[in-house]
Amino acid sequence: PKKTFEIDDFAGRIKFLEDVKAKGNELYAQGKFDLAFKEYRRGNEVAKGFPKVLVSSMSQDQKNVLTEYLINLKNNAVMALIKQKEFMEAKKWVDEVLTLAPENVKGLYRKGLCLKAMGEYDQAIETISKCMELTSDSKKDCFNLISSCQRLKANRDIQEKNKYSKI
Protein backbone atom coordinates (compact mmCIF):
# COMPACT_ATOMS: atom_id res chain seq x y z
CA PRO A 1 0.00 0.00 0.00
CA LYS A 2 1.10 3.52 -0.77
CA LYS A 3 2.22 5.56 2.21
CA THR A 4 0.52 8.93 2.67
CA PHE A 5 1.74 11.87 4.74
CA GLU A 6 0.43 15.16 6.02
CA ILE A 7 1.80 17.85 3.74
CA ASP A 8 4.06 19.30 6.45
CA ASP A 9 5.17 16.02 8.06
CA PHE A 10 8.95 16.25 7.62
CA ALA A 11 9.73 13.88 10.52
CA GLY A 12 7.28 11.23 9.23
CA ARG A 13 8.74 11.37 5.75
CA ILE A 14 12.30 11.06 7.07
CA LYS A 15 11.28 8.12 9.30
CA PHE A 16 9.77 6.46 6.23
CA LEU A 17 13.04 6.98 4.31
CA GLU A 18 14.99 5.46 7.22
CA ASP A 19 12.69 2.43 7.20
CA VAL A 20 12.87 1.98 3.42
CA LYS A 21 16.66 2.25 3.46
CA ALA A 22 16.87 -0.29 6.32
CA LYS A 23 14.57 -2.71 4.47
CA GLY A 24 16.59 -2.27 1.26
CA ASN A 25 19.81 -2.90 3.17
CA GLU A 26 18.33 -6.05 4.71
CA LEU A 27 17.27 -7.36 1.30
CA TYR A 28 20.68 -6.48 -0.14
CA ALA A 29 22.41 -8.40 2.67
CA GLN A 30 20.23 -11.41 1.79
CA GLY A 31 21.37 -11.21 -1.83
CA LYS A 32 17.92 -10.05 -3.03
CA PHE A 33 19.36 -7.25 -5.11
CA ASP A 34 16.30 -6.75 -7.33
CA LEU A 35 14.03 -6.31 -4.31
CA ALA A 36 16.58 -4.09 -2.57
CA PHE A 37 16.70 -1.87 -5.66
CA LYS A 38 12.90 -1.56 -5.62
CA GLU A 39 13.01 -0.40 -1.99
CA TYR A 40 15.74 2.14 -2.70
CA ARG A 41 13.81 3.38 -5.75
CA ARG A 42 10.65 3.72 -3.66
CA GLY A 43 12.52 5.77 -1.07
CA ASN A 44 14.05 7.89 -3.81
CA GLU A 45 10.59 8.63 -5.21
CA VAL A 46 9.32 9.72 -1.79
CA ALA A 47 12.43 11.84 -1.16
CA LYS A 48 12.12 13.53 -4.55
CA GLY A 49 8.38 13.96 -4.05
CA PHE A 50 8.47 16.21 -1.01
CA PRO A 51 5.81 18.91 -1.60
CA LYS A 52 7.21 22.28 -2.69
CA VAL A 53 5.37 23.97 0.17
CA LEU A 54 7.21 21.71 2.64
CA VAL A 55 10.60 22.13 0.95
CA SER A 56 10.23 25.91 0.90
CA SER A 57 9.58 25.94 4.65
CA MET A 58 12.42 23.56 5.58
CA SER A 59 15.51 24.77 7.40
CA GLN A 60 18.91 24.36 5.74
CA ASP A 61 19.64 21.49 8.15
CA GLN A 62 16.45 19.72 7.07
CA LYS A 63 17.33 20.24 3.39
CA ASN A 64 20.78 18.76 4.09
CA VAL A 65 19.20 15.72 5.79
CA LEU A 66 16.90 15.19 2.80
CA THR A 67 19.81 15.52 0.36
CA GLU A 68 21.85 12.98 2.36
CA TYR A 69 18.96 10.50 2.18
CA LEU A 70 18.69 11.03 -1.57
CA ILE A 71 22.43 10.47 -2.00
CA ASN A 72 22.43 7.35 0.20
CA LEU A 73 19.34 5.82 -1.41
CA LYS A 74 20.71 6.46 -4.90
CA ASN A 75 24.18 5.11 -4.00
CA ASN A 76 22.59 1.98 -2.53
CA ALA A 77 20.42 1.58 -5.64
CA VAL A 78 23.58 1.83 -7.76
CA MET A 79 25.23 -1.01 -5.84
CA ALA A 80 22.11 -3.19 -6.13
CA LEU A 81 22.08 -2.57 -9.90
CA ILE A 82 25.81 -3.34 -10.18
CA LYS A 83 25.22 -6.65 -8.39
CA GLN A 84 22.59 -7.42 -11.04
CA LYS A 85 25.06 -6.41 -13.79
CA GLU A 86 22.73 -3.57 -14.85
CA PHE A 87 25.65 -1.23 -15.50
CA MET A 88 23.99 1.28 -17.84
CA GLU A 89 21.10 1.81 -15.44
CA ALA A 90 23.50 1.98 -12.51
CA LYS A 91 25.49 4.66 -14.32
CA LYS A 92 22.33 6.76 -14.74
CA TRP A 93 21.67 6.54 -11.02
CA VAL A 94 25.26 7.28 -10.04
CA ASP A 95 25.28 10.31 -12.33
CA GLU A 96 22.35 11.60 -10.24
CA VAL A 97 24.43 11.05 -7.08
CA LEU A 98 27.31 13.00 -8.58
CA THR A 99 24.97 15.81 -9.64
CA LEU A 100 23.98 16.20 -5.98
CA ALA A 101 27.49 15.61 -4.61
CA PRO A 102 30.25 15.82 -7.27
CA GLU A 103 32.95 14.66 -4.84
CA ASN A 104 31.03 11.73 -3.37
CA VAL A 105 33.72 9.05 -3.08
CA LYS A 106 31.30 6.09 -3.17
CA GLY A 107 29.60 7.56 -6.20
CA LEU A 108 32.85 8.14 -8.04
CA TYR A 109 34.10 4.64 -7.26
CA ARG A 110 30.82 3.03 -8.34
CA LYS A 111 30.75 5.09 -11.52
CA GLY A 112 34.26 3.77 -12.21
CA LEU A 113 32.98 0.21 -11.73
CA CYS A 114 30.15 0.85 -14.20
CA LEU A 115 32.43 2.44 -16.78
CA LYS A 116 34.90 -0.44 -16.49
CA ALA A 117 32.12 -3.00 -16.97
CA MET A 118 30.91 -1.05 -20.01
CA GLY A 119 34.41 -1.07 -21.53
CA GLU A 120 34.85 2.68 -21.10
CA TYR A 121 38.32 2.28 -19.62
CA ASP A 122 39.68 5.80 -20.16
CA GLN A 123 36.62 7.35 -18.51
CA ALA A 124 36.81 4.80 -15.70
CA ILE A 125 40.47 5.63 -15.06
CA GLU A 126 39.69 9.36 -15.05
CA THR A 127 36.77 8.89 -12.62
CA ILE A 128 38.68 6.60 -10.27
CA SER A 129 41.68 8.93 -10.32
CA LYS A 130 39.40 11.70 -9.04
CA CYS A 131 38.08 9.32 -6.38
CA MET A 132 41.63 8.44 -5.38
CA GLU A 133 42.46 12.13 -4.86
CA LEU A 134 39.50 12.50 -2.48
CA THR A 135 40.00 9.46 -0.24
CA SER A 136 42.63 8.10 2.05
CA ASP A 137 40.59 5.02 3.05
CA SER A 138 40.10 3.46 -0.39
CA LYS A 139 43.33 4.31 -2.22
CA LYS A 140 44.27 0.63 -2.59
CA ASP A 141 40.86 -0.24 -4.06
CA CYS A 142 41.12 2.73 -6.43
CA PHE A 143 44.64 1.76 -7.48
CA ASN A 144 43.55 -1.84 -8.13
CA LEU A 145 40.58 -0.70 -10.22
CA ILE A 146 42.76 1.66 -12.26
CA SER A 147 45.33 -1.12 -12.83
CA SER A 148 42.58 -3.49 -13.92
CA CYS A 149 41.23 -0.92 -16.40
CA GLN A 150 44.72 -0.32 -17.78
CA ARG A 151 45.26 -4.06 -18.30
CA LEU A 152 41.88 -4.56 -19.95
CA LYS A 153 42.40 -1.54 -22.20
CA ALA A 154 45.87 -2.78 -23.22
CA ASN A 155 44.45 -6.25 -23.99
CA ARG A 156 41.63 -4.75 -26.05
CA ASP A 157 44.10 -2.55 -27.95
CA ILE A 158 46.30 -5.59 -28.75
CA GLN A 159 43.27 -7.58 -29.94
CA GLU A 160 42.14 -4.73 -32.17
CA LYS A 161 45.65 -4.27 -33.57
CA ASN A 162 45.91 -7.99 -34.33
CA LYS A 163 42.45 -8.01 -35.89
CA TYR A 164 43.26 -5.17 -38.25
CA SER A 165 46.79 -6.37 -39.05
CA LYS A 166 45.28 -9.43 -40.74
CA ILE A 167 43.31 -7.33 -43.19
Side-chain angles (χ1 to χ4, degrees):
K2 193 165 186 164
K3 179 79 173 159
T4 57
F5 302 95
E6 294 298 318
I7 199 156
D8 61 348
D9 186 10
F10 177 81
R13 290 170 191 271
I14 293 299
K15 173 73 172 103
F16 178 77
L17 296 178
E18 286 174 12
D19 293 346
V20 165
K21 183 180 168 202
K23 178 148 191 216
N25 291 349
E26 182 181 315
L27 291 164
Y28 184 93
Q30 295 170 6
K32 298 176 181 176
F33 306 120
D34 57 331
L35 297 176
F37 172 74
K38 288 177 183 174
E39 283 300 309
Y40 300 136
R41 184 180 60 202
R42 188 165 72 120
N44 180 66
E45 289 166 2
V46 168
K48 285 182 7 184
F50 270 50
K52 287 182 179 155
V53 67
L54 175 58
V55 173
S56 66
S57 69
M58 287 171 22
S59 70
Q60 189 57 49
D61 285 345
Q62 288 175 319
K63 289 177 183 175
N64 292 344
V65 166
L66 177 58
T67 300
E68 278 303 306
Y69 271 100
L70 266 170
I71 290 168
N72 290 332
L73 288 163
K74 288 177 186 296
N75 252 332
N76 290 1
V78 169
M79 210 52 229
L81 288 165
I82 288 172
K83 289 290 190 177
Q84 296 176 81
K85 301 190 182 330
E86 298 285 343
F87 301 109
M88 289 181 72
E89 184 68 14
K91 186 183 168 299
K92 289 178 193 173
W93 279 77
V94 80
D95 284 341
E96 292 178 24
V97 169
L98 296 172
T99 297
L100 293 168
E103 295 188 343
N104 183 277
V105 171
K106 281 184 180 179
L108 288 165
Y109 187 81
R110 291 171 183 176
K111 182 173 182 174
L113 289 173
C114 293
L115 291 167
K116 175 189 170 199
M118 294 164 54
E120 302 291 338
Y121 304 123
D122 289 330
Q123 285 181 281
I125 291 167
E126 183 181 323
T127 301
I128 296 302
S129 295
K130 183 174 181 183
C131 178
M132 199 167 171
E133 292 171 13
L134 297 170
T135 185
S136 55
D137 298 339
S138 305
K139 281 202 187 294
K140 184 178 179 189
D141 291 335
C142 291
F143 179 79
N144 289 340
L145 186 54
I146 288 171
S147 296
S148 175
C149 287
Q150 290 169 334
R151 277 191 311 276
L152 289 167
K153 183 180 185 296
N155 288 341
R156 182 179 65 196
D157 291 349
I158 289 168
Q159 288 175 348
E160 286 180 9
K161 184 180 174 186
N162 289 340
K163 181 173 144 183
Y164 291 112
S165 69
K166 294 176 184 173
I167 293 177

